[in-house]
PDB file of all heavy atoms in Angstrom:
ATOM      1  N   GLN A 124      -5.036 -34.769  70.207  1.00 93.00           N
ATOM      2  CA  GLN A 124      -6.289 -34.293  69.928  1.00 93.00           C
ATOM      3  C   GLN A 124      -6.803 -34.214  68.548  1.00 93.00           C
ATOM      4  O   GLN A 124      -7.932 -33.991  68.207  1.00 93.00           O
ATOM      5  CB  GLN A 124      -6.349 -32.805  70.657  1.00 93.00           C
ATOM      6  CG  GLN A 124      -5.323 -31.928  70.060  1.00 93.00           C
ATOM      7  CD  GLN A 124      -5.158 -30.714  70.859  1.00 93.00           C
ATOM      8  OE1 GLN A 124      -6.130 -30.059  71.160  1.00 93.00           O
ATOM      9  NE2 GLN A 124      -3.872 -30.326  71.189  1.00 93.00           N
ATOM     10  N   TYR A 125      -5.765 -34.247  67.591  1.00 95.00           N
ATOM     11  CA  TYR A 125      -6.094 -34.148  66.223  1.00 95.00           C
ATOM     12  C   TYR A 125      -6.065 -35.560  65.580  1.00 95.00           C
ATOM     13  O   TYR A 125      -6.150 -35.640  64.244  1.00 95.00           O
ATOM     14  CB  TYR A 125      -5.115 -33.213  65.474  1.00 95.00           C
ATOM     15  CG  TYR A 125      -4.935 -31.889  66.043  1.00 95.00           C
ATOM     16  CD1 TYR A 125      -3.659 -31.440  66.427  1.00 95.00           C
ATOM     17  CD2 TYR A 125      -6.063 -31.109  66.378  1.00 95.00           C
ATOM     18  CE1 TYR A 125      -3.521 -30.170  66.960  1.00 95.00           C
ATOM     19  CE2 TYR A 125      -5.831 -29.920  66.984  1.00 95.00           C
ATOM     20  CZ  TYR A 125      -4.623 -29.396  67.361  1.00 95.00           C
ATOM     21  OH  TYR A 125      -4.433 -28.210  67.950  1.00 95.00           O
ATOM     22  N   GLY A 126      -5.971 -36.627  66.373  1.00 95.00           N
ATOM     23  CA  GLY A 126      -5.827 -37.982  65.797  1.00 95.00           C
ATOM     24  C   GLY A 126      -4.612 -38.262  65.076  1.00 95.00           C
ATOM     25  O   GLY A 126      -4.606 -39.197  64.170  1.00 95.00           O
ATOM     26  N   VAL A 127      -3.545 -37.541  65.466  1.00 97.00           N
ATOM     27  CA  VAL A 127      -2.294 -37.777  64.731  1.00 97.00           C
ATOM     28  C   VAL A 127      -1.169 -38.270  65.622  1.00 97.00           C
ATOM     29  O   VAL A 127      -0.875 -37.682  66.715  1.00 97.00           O
ATOM     30  CB  VAL A 127      -1.753 -36.399  64.063  1.00 97.00           C
ATOM     31  CG1 VAL A 127      -0.367 -36.604  63.435  1.00 97.00           C
ATOM     32  CG2 VAL A 127      -2.758 -35.864  62.998  1.00 97.00           C
ATOM     33  N   ARG A 128      -0.576 -39.467  65.297  1.00 95.00           N
ATOM     34  CA  ARG A 128       0.486 -40.044  66.090  1.00 95.00           C
ATOM     35  C   ARG A 128       1.747 -40.065  65.326  1.00 95.00           C
ATOM     36  O   ARG A 128       1.776 -40.491  64.164  1.00 95.00           O
ATOM     37  CB  ARG A 128       0.051 -41.445  66.525  1.00 95.00           C
ATOM     38  CG  ARG A 128       1.066 -42.122  67.397  1.00 95.00           C
ATOM     39  CD  ARG A 128       0.589 -43.480  67.819  1.00 95.00           C
ATOM     40  NE  ARG A 128       1.533 -44.233  68.694  1.00 95.00           N
ATOM     41  CZ  ARG A 128       1.322 -45.416  69.171  1.00 95.00           C
ATOM     42  NH1 ARG A 128       0.228 -46.090  68.787  1.00 95.00           N
ATOM     43  NH2 ARG A 128       2.202 -46.011  69.976  1.00 95.00           N
ATOM     44  N   PRO A 129       2.826 -39.519  65.821  1.00 96.00           N
ATOM     45  CA  PRO A 129       4.080 -39.468  65.128  1.00 96.00           C
ATOM     46  C   PRO A 129       4.795 -40.802  65.183  1.00 96.00           C
ATOM     47  O   PRO A 129       4.491 -41.685  66.014  1.00 96.00           O
ATOM     48  CB  PRO A 129       4.932 -38.375  65.896  1.00 96.00           C
ATOM     49  CG  PRO A 129       4.355 -38.493  67.252  1.00 96.00           C
ATOM     50  CD  PRO A 129       2.940 -38.824  67.204  1.00 96.00           C
ATOM     51  N   ASP A 130       5.783 -40.911  64.222  1.00 95.00           N
ATOM     52  CA  ASP A 130       6.603 -42.123  64.236  1.00 95.00           C
ATOM     53  C   ASP A 130       7.737 -41.940  65.267  1.00 95.00           C
ATOM     54  O   ASP A 130       8.258 -42.924  65.927  1.00 95.00           O
ATOM     55  CB  ASP A 130       7.207 -42.394  62.901  1.00 95.00           C
ATOM     56  CG  ASP A 130       6.143 -42.671  61.829  1.00 95.00           C
ATOM     57  OD1 ASP A 130       5.420 -43.700  61.999  1.00 95.00           O
ATOM     58  OD2 ASP A 130       5.948 -41.836  61.015  1.00 95.00           O
ATOM     59  N   LEU A 131       8.278 -40.806  65.502  1.00 94.00           N
ATOM     60  CA  LEU A 131       9.238 -40.416  66.408  1.00 94.00           C
ATOM     61  C   LEU A 131       8.856 -39.092  67.127  1.00 94.00           C
ATOM     62  O   LEU A 131       8.298 -38.176  66.460  1.00 94.00           O
ATOM     63  CB  LEU A 131      10.636 -40.157  65.765  1.00 94.00           C
ATOM     64  CG  LEU A 131      11.397 -41.426  65.312  1.00 94.00           C
ATOM     65  CD1 LEU A 131      12.758 -40.920  64.595  1.00 94.00           C
ATOM     66  CD2 LEU A 131      11.875 -42.269  66.531  1.00 94.00           C
ATOM     67  N   SER A 132       9.185 -38.996  68.443  1.00 95.00           N
ATOM     68  CA  SER A 132       9.012 -37.852  69.117  1.00 95.00           C
ATOM     69  C   SER A 132      10.148 -37.582  70.151  1.00 95.00           C
ATOM     70  O   SER A 132      10.506 -38.570  70.773  1.00 95.00           O
ATOM     71  CB  SER A 132       7.616 -37.785  69.710  1.00 95.00           C
ATOM     72  OG  SER A 132       7.365 -38.887  70.699  1.00 95.00           O
ATOM     73  N   SER A 133      10.556 -36.392  70.403  1.00 93.00           N
ATOM     74  CA  SER A 133      11.689 -36.078  71.347  1.00 93.00           C
ATOM     75  C   SER A 133      11.037 -35.349  72.463  1.00 93.00           C
ATOM     76  O   SER A 133      10.195 -34.447  72.381  1.00 93.00           O
ATOM     77  CB  SER A 133      12.736 -35.172  70.644  1.00 93.00           C
ATOM     78  OG  SER A 133      12.146 -34.032  70.106  1.00 93.00           O
TER      79      SER A 133
END
Side-chain angles (χ1 to χ4, degrees):
Q124 58 194 310
Y125 309 128
V127 176
R128 184 178 182 180
D130 299 294
L131 281 174
S132 57
S133 56

